[in-house]
């Protein structure tokens, strides 16, 4: 039996991933910073819910204790994320407008949150026979694409969100090197219609969740330390 935690899974890509992995036979925990939103989402899918705010040490520690008491963890999906630089009007705050505070808030969730959750759940993952971590990154994390005129994301004006996801990619590589017994990969779901981008994305959540679901199911011989989208490898 495989037990899987997905952070920020009360809606969007995380929710769809929970639906798919539950259907594939995983015991799924929906992590949600709001206990009631998590409870409702879990009830809809017939999975478990755990309160988990990735920016809060006590919340993450309590979630780790609860999942440990529930029998442990095999698969961790660091999915919770924010893209605060997209305003309510859909306009992206670019280099002229990014502030240190915006960078800090973005990194608090996307980067420090990922490390906080990894740190708390590593002891549980170490006890799994086939531990897997999926870090939900973004195509905007790619330094190669960002520096290549015409490449996907080249014209994106924001700074905080892409920088945070580039950090997620480095975190992925460093942890994969440190824990060769685990499969630890970063994924790019593609531009998907969710609240994150004011529902301007072009893909459905079913399409976006595809690579997350696939990399959550890699076996011990599968790749680690990589960066993938549904088509294959993404350039760093
Ligand atoms: P979404 O629908 O806005 O979902 C984001 C989830 O993260 C929500 O459940 C949200 O909870 C949760 N979250 C935010 N801050 C949190 C915190 N401090 N602690 C715990 N949970 C928190 O967006 P999405 O598109 O599904 O995004 C999922 C992941 O995919 C993100 O990492 C995003 O960067 C990545 N991604 C998305 C796209 C895309 O086009 N959609 C493309 C590339 C990568 P609340 O409901 O409480 O706000």
């Amino acid at each position: 039996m495989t037990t899987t935690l997905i952070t920020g899974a009360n809606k969007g890509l995380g929710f769809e991933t929970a639906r798919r992995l539950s259907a594939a036979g995983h015991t799924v925990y929906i992590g949600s910073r709001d206990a009631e939103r998590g409870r409702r989402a879990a009830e809809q899918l017939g999975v478990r819910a755990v309160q988990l705010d990735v920016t809060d040490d006590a919340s993450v520690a309590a979630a780790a204790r609860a999942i440990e008491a529930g029998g442990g963890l095999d698969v961790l999906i660091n999915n919770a994320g924010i893209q605060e630089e997209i305003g309510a009007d859909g306009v992206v705050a670019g280099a002229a407008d990014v502030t240190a505070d915006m960078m800090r808030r973005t990194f608090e969730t996307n980067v420090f949150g990922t490390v906080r959750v990894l740190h708390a759940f590593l002891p549980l993952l170490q006890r799994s026979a086939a531990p897997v971590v999926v870090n939900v990154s973004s195509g905007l994390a790619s330094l190669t694409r960002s520096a290549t005129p015409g490449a996907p994301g080249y014209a994106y004006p924001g700074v905080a969100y892409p920088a945070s996801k580039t950090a997620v990619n480095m975190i992925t590589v460093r942890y994969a090197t440190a824990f060769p017994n685990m499969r630890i990969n970063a994924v790019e779901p593609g531009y998907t219609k969710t609240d994150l981008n004011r529902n301007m994305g072009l893909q459905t959540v079913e399409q976006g969740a595809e690579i997350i679901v696939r990399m959550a199911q890699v076996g011990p011989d599968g790749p680690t330390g990589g960066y993938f989208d549904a088509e294959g490898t993404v350039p760093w």
Side-chain angles (χ1 to χ4, degrees):
M1 187 54 112
T2 301
T3 302
T4 299
L5 166 65
I6 309 160
T7 64
N10 53 282
K11 66 178 183 180
L13 289 166
F15 181 81
E16 175 62 15
T17 300
R19 191 180 69 74
R20 296 266 291 277
L21 290 176
S22 173
H26 289 212
T27 298
V28 172
Y29 284 90
I30 281 186
S32 175
R33 60 177 156 180
D34 182 275
E36 180 53 25
R37 281 200 288 274
R39 191 195 63 73
R40 279 201 301 266
E43 193 177 83
Q44 230 179 304
L45 297 180
V47 302
R48 302 178 185 188
V50 65
Q51 196 279 333
L52 194 161
D53 182 336
V54 302
T55 66
D56 183 328
D57 280 333
S59 162
V60 173
R65 283 195 300 274
I67 291 176
E68 185 171 26
L73 189 70
D74 304 291
V75 180
L76 169 63
I77 304 179
N78 285 307
N79 168 77
I82 60 170
Q83 194 169 2
E84 189 192 293
E85 64 205 21
I86 302 185
D89 51 5
V91 175
V92 177
D97 298 310
V98 68
T99 60
D101 278 343
M102 185 187 284
M103 288 294 283
R104 191 178 296 114
R105 284 193 299 275
T106 303
F107 272 60
E108 189 59 62
T109 298
N110 296 1
V111 182
F112 310 149
T114 295
V115 171
R116 183 176 285 107
V117 172
L118 275 165
H119 186 72
F121 283 92
L122 275 172
L124 279 71
L125 291 167
Q126 289 283 37
R127 293 201 284 274
S128 167
V132 172
V133 175
V134 181
N135 292 328
V136 181
S137 177
S138 166
L140 296 174
S142 170
L143 288 167
T144 302
R145 288 181 175 176
S146 292
T148 305
Y154 174 77
Y156 180 79
V159 175
Y161 180 78
S164 74
K165 294 297 191 176
T166 305
V168 166
N169 281 0
M170 179 59 88
I171 287 164
T172 302
V173 172
R174 298 319 310 166
Y175 277 80
T177 304
F179 299 102
N181 63 318
M182 300 189 190
R183 307 293 92 185
I184 305 180
N185 294 289
V187 299
E188 136 70 331
Y191 191 34
T192 305
K193 192 178 167 72
T194 67
D195 290 346
L196 188 89
N197 48 40
R198 315 286 172 200
N199 292 294
M200 292 184 300
L202 302 175
Q203 296 187 136
T204 63
V205 285
E206 289 81 2
Q207 293 170 311
E210 177 61 34
I211 189 64
I212 308 176
V213 170
R214 200 186 303 163
M215 296 315 290
Q217 297 183 95
V218 292
D221 296 332
T224 193
Y227 177 31
F228 301 99
D229 67 12
E231 313 301 324
T233 299
V234 182
W236 298 110

